[in-house]
């Protein structure tokens, strides 16, 4: 057989294989389209017809937790009731038949978060969703879901960037720190003044290392992808140590930093630091467990409002008297959140009794 004939046969076989491998089950594509349309319309009734009575949620570590249908219903109640909504546009990448008549669907989605009041786009919201569906009563139902949001897929990379910066800072390793910042990096101080350029930033770090010996711990509160491909990281940093003159250092600060990808590597392009603002809120609740469930489902709202962390406690002799100590990037963000017109109704729905006491603290 001539080599040209053999190559032609191989090409045909590979072509047939490729067509077969890329073919998508039309029922699976239609199922995802139904999900997409119902989600984008906020149609919880239709969405719930797509779920089995018990659905497995795949965690990031690969473990699967079986959750009742009511869990997913409550999740959509929270999702559709938030100030910020999400629009999703799915693309089915592959479908695969499984034993027992089930089907695996791998899909990705592009989209964006938007302000429900103004419809203004807030941030991109890409991700992926892998499903296992099976027929129940003649209708396809979701039996397992693995959802990975855009920032979730970047979580490990963002954590690595912050850890590298933290470790290099604590080692006073200027060589490594320089590789983690762009040449045009901009630093904004708590008083609003700015300094630009890598050389200026390195000079500032050199002086800081000469004046004191501190240990810094940096935590990430939120990562927000931007339409230009960058990510805004917000969180808290804590420094302890001593100056060269022997004075004790104990400082809690907040940050809002921008990281960009440069030649395949994430680097800091903006560093903005400010003092942490703490609030103390306490109130009576009818039932702590019911209140805590509502408090947890409101987490995204608090995070978008600028909350960096929250610690919940109850009185030792009264488990229904709740105290929340939260940290914010600014007093204005905290005050704006507590002034929200929908907050009182939300608290009342969650079982808060009476008017809560809210204190915004200023560290002296």
């Amino acid at each position: 057989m001539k080599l040209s004939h053999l190559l032609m046969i191989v090409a045909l076989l590979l072509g047939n294989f490729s067509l077969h491998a890329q073919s998508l089950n039309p029922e699976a594509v239609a199922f995802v389209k139904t999900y997409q349309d119902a989600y984008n319309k906020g149609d919880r009734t239709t969405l719930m017809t797509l779920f089995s009575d018990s659905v497995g949620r795949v965690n990031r570590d690969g473990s699967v937790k079986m959750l009742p249908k009511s869990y997913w219903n409550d999740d959509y109640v929270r999702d559709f009731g938030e100030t910020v909504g999400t629009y999703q546009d799915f693309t089915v990448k592959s479908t695969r038949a499984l034993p027992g008549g089930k089907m695996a669907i791998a899909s990705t989605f592009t989209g964006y978060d938007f302000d429900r009041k103004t419809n203004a786009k807030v941030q991109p919201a890409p991700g992926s969703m892998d499903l296992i569906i099976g027929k129940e009563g003649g209708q396809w139902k979701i039996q397992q879901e693995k959802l990975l949001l855009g920032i979730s897929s970047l979580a490990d990379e963002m954590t690595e960037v912050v850890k590298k910066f933290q470790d290099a800072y604590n080692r006073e390793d200027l060589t490594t720190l320089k590789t983690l910042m762009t040449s045009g990096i901009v630093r904004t101080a708590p008083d609003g003044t700015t300094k630009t350029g890598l050389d200026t930033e390195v000079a500032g770090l050199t002086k800081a290392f000469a004046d004191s010996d501190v240990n810094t711990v940096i935590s990430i509160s939120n990562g927000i992808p931007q339409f230009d491909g960058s990510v805004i990281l917000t969180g808290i940093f804590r420094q302890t140590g001593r100056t060269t003159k022997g004075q004790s250092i104990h400082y809690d600060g907040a940050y809002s930093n921008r990281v960009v990808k440069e030649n395949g590597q994430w680097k800091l392009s903006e560093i903005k630091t400010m003092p942490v603002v703490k609030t103390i809120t306490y109130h009576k609740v009818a039932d702590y467990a019911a209140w805590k469930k509502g408090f947890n489902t409101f987490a995204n709202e608090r995070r978008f409002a600028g909350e960096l962390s929250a610690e919940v406690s109850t009185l030792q002799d009264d488990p229904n008297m709740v105290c929340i100590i939260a940290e914010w990037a600014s007093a204005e963000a905290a005050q704006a959140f507590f002034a929200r017109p929908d907050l009182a109704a939300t608290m009342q729905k969650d079982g808060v009794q009476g008017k809560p006491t809210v204190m915004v603290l200023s560290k002296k």
Side-chain angles (χ1 to χ4, degrees):
M1 181 181 294
K2 290 184 178 180
L3 179 60
S4 59
H5 291 168
L6 179 61
L7 291 175
M8 185 179 296
I9 292 172
V10 171
L12 287 170
L13 289 172
L14 288 175
N16 288 336
F17 173 77
S18 177
L19 288 172
H20 175 72
Q22 293 176 11
S23 63
L24 301 173
N25 184 292
E27 291 186 61
V29 174
F31 183 90
V32 173
K33 180 68 164 57
T34 300
Y35 178 95
Q36 171 184 301
D37 291 346
Y39 184 87
N40 289 337
K41 292 175 183 176
D43 183 357
R44 186 163 47 86
T45 301
T46 298
L47 282 171
M48 286 301 96
T49 68
L50 304 179
F51 281 78
S52 180
D53 289 338
S54 182
V55 178
R57 183 189 66 192
V58 181
N59 300 315
R60 288 190 65 196
D61 62 4
S63 62
V64 178
K65 183 176 182 180
M66 299 304 298
L67 296 165
K69 191 174 184 176
S70 59
Y71 167 86
W72 305 92
N73 181 70
D74 291 346
D75 191 51
Y76 287 121
V77 169
R78 173 195 58 77
D79 195 2
F80 297 148
E82 289 182 342
T83 303
V84 175
T86 303
Y87 174 84
Q88 297 175 335
D89 186 6
F90 283 87
T91 300
V92 177
K93 294 296 185 179
S94 67
T95 58
R96 178 168 51 92
L98 298 176
K102 298 181 181 181
M103 194 183 323
I105 307 172
S107 62
T108 60
F109 58 87
T110 56
Y112 53 85
D113 291 335
F114 63 93
D115 187 309
R116 292 189 187 276
K117 292 182 180 179
T118 64
N119 285 326
K121 294 181 180 179
V122 177
Q123 63 189 50
S128 64
M129 184 173 72
D130 296 340
L131 301 175
I132 292 179
I133 61 175
K135 278 199 172 178
E136 299 176 14
Q139 180 183 348
W140 289 106
K141 303 270 189 178
I142 298 172
Q143 297 179 347
Q144 182 173 291
E145 178 189 272
K146 179 181 180 182
L147 183 67
L148 192 62
L149 300 178
I151 191 57
S152 298
S153 65
L154 293 173
D156 291 340
E157 295 177 55
M158 296 299 102
T159 300
E160 183 66 16
V161 170
V162 171
K163 186 177 185 305
K164 283 182 178 179
F165 188 92
Q166 172 186 289
D167 293 349
Y169 189 97
N170 288 334
R171 294 195 310 269
E172 300 186 358
D173 181 357
L174 287 170
T175 301
T176 299
L177 286 171
K178 288 168 68 174
T179 69
L180 299 174
M181 299 181 286
T182 64
S183 60
I185 186 168
V186 178
R187 176 180 284 273
T188 303
D191 63 3
T193 59
T194 61
K195 294 181 179 179
T196 304
L198 185 58
D199 290 342
T200 302
E201 179 65 17
V202 170
L205 290 171
T206 301
K207 185 177 188 307
F209 293 155
D211 291 344
S212 60
D213 182 17
V214 299
N215 182 74
T216 301
V217 177
I218 307 173
S219 62
I220 301 175
S221 298
N222 201 11
I224 306 174
Q226 304 297 299
F227 288 107
D228 62 4
S230 65
V231 178
I232 300 294
L233 295 177
T234 59
I236 299 165
F237 66 95
R238 291 186 165 90
Q239 293 183 319
T240 55
R242 290 189 176 279
T243 68
T244 53
K245 296 180 180 180
Q247 297 170 319
S248 177
I249 296 174
H250 185 94
Y251 180 77
D252 291 351
Y255 68 86
S256 177
N257 298 342
R258 184 186 298 270
V259 293
V260 298
K261 213 158 200 180
E262 191 175 87
N263 298 322
Q265 180 186 346
W266 288 106
K267 294 186 178 184
L268 286 157
S269 65
E270 297 176 19
I271 296 176
K272 182 179 182 180
T273 59
M274 64 285 290
V276 170
V277 172
K278 294 189 178 183
T279 61
I280 297 177
T281 306
Y282 62 91
H283 50 63
K284 186 86 170 179
V285 298
D287 177 77
Y288 175 79
W291 171 84
K292 188 61 161 55
K293 181 179 179 181
F295 180 79
N296 290 342
T297 59
F298 211 61
N300 283 342
E301 291 288 287
R302 302 197 315 272
R303 187 160 54 245
F304 274 115
E307 185 188 80
L308 301 174
S309 71
E311 179 182 326
V312 177
S313 302
T314 60
L315 293 186
Q316 188 172 10
D317 57 353
D318 187 351
N320 287 325
M321 180 60 76
V322 177
C323 177
I324 306 113
I325 300 175
E327 294 177 308
W328 304 77
S330 70
E332 292 76 17
Q335 289 163 347
F337 173 77
F338 288 111
R340 283 175 52 153
D342 62 334
L343 187 60
T346 300
M347 285 186 165
Q348 186 176 18
K349 177 174 67 69
D350 292 338
V352 173
Q353 298 179 331
K355 186 176 180 180
T357 297
V358 179
M359 296 181 289
V360 180
L361 307 183
S362 178
K363 189 172 182 180
K364 301 297 185 181

